[in-house]
Amino acid sequence: MLIGELATTSGLSRETLRFYEKLGLIHSRRLPNGYRRYSPETLTLVMYIRTAQQLGFSLSEIGREIPRLWQGAVSDADIAQVLQNKLADIDQRIEALQSLRDDLAARLASACPLRTPSSTSPHPATMADGSTRCAARRA
């Protein structure tokens, strides 16, 4: 199938397909007129890439698994492990974001948001003119 057909069938733009090809995620064969011809299996691969992206995988992560997929070297247990690892990664990022949120909320509740909650310094942000953010705010 030509790139236009693949774009229409997959719901992706031609630019996206060209980008996937540039990254080595998909391959085409060039016709004498320069057009790209994709095998019918490319549609399956493109749909896999889209699904994996929706599940939070980067194109780099997807690209590492594609050769194993086509070789049939990926079992259901392998896929489950990859998904479990991604879930653990997402949980870590959620935890880090929650910690950041808590820090921001604590700073907003303090008299001087620029001072870290554990800081005892009365002037955490000295400006070029010698004034401090918190002192200037109180004045």
Side-chain angles (χ1 to χ4, degrees):
M1 79 179 60
L2 299 177
I3 194 167
E5 271 182 278
L6 183 57
T8 300
T9 307
S10 68
L12 295 174
S13 69
R14 293 172 189 214
E15 291 77 23
T16 298
L17 295 171
R18 289 184 192 107
F19 182 66
Y20 285 177
E21 190 166 354
K22 181 179 177 184
L23 293 178
L25 299 174
I26 61 174
H27 302 283
S28 67
R29 183 173 54 88
R30 289 290 186 150
L31 298 175
N33 61 7
Y35 290 1
R36 291 175 164 94
R37 177 167 297 280
Y38 297 93
S39 68
E41 295 82 19
T42 304
L43 178 60
T44 302
L45 184 54
V46 167
M47 299 316 288
Y48 162 79
I49 293 168
R50 288 185 69 193
T51 300
Q53 281 186 293
Q54 290 168 351
L55 291 173
F57 289 90
S58 69
L59 291 176
S60 176
E61 290 170 320
I62 295 166
R64 285 193 298 266
E65 295 299 323
I66 286 177
R68 291 181 45 204
L69 280 173
W70 285 121
Q71 295 166 358
V74 180
S75 68
D76 289 345
D78 291 335
I79 292 172
Q81 185 60 53
V82 168
L83 294 177
Q84 184 63 42
N85 292 344
K86 180 51 92 174
L87 185 60
D89 179 50
I90 290 170
D91 286 342
Q92 286 177 338
R93 291 192 317 208
I94 289 171
E95 188 176 314
L97 285 170
Q98 186 62 48
S99 177
L100 177 60
R101 186 200 180 287
D102 293 346
D103 185 37
L104 286 170
R107 287 171 181 265
L108 282 172
S110 78
C112 185
L114 294 177
R115 184 179 329 157
T116 59
S118 62
S119 173
T120 57
S121 169
H123 305 291
T126 303
M127 307 305 288
D129 65 0
S131 66
T132 63
R133 282 279 188 195
C134 293
R137 204 168 160 218
R138 289 185 205 122

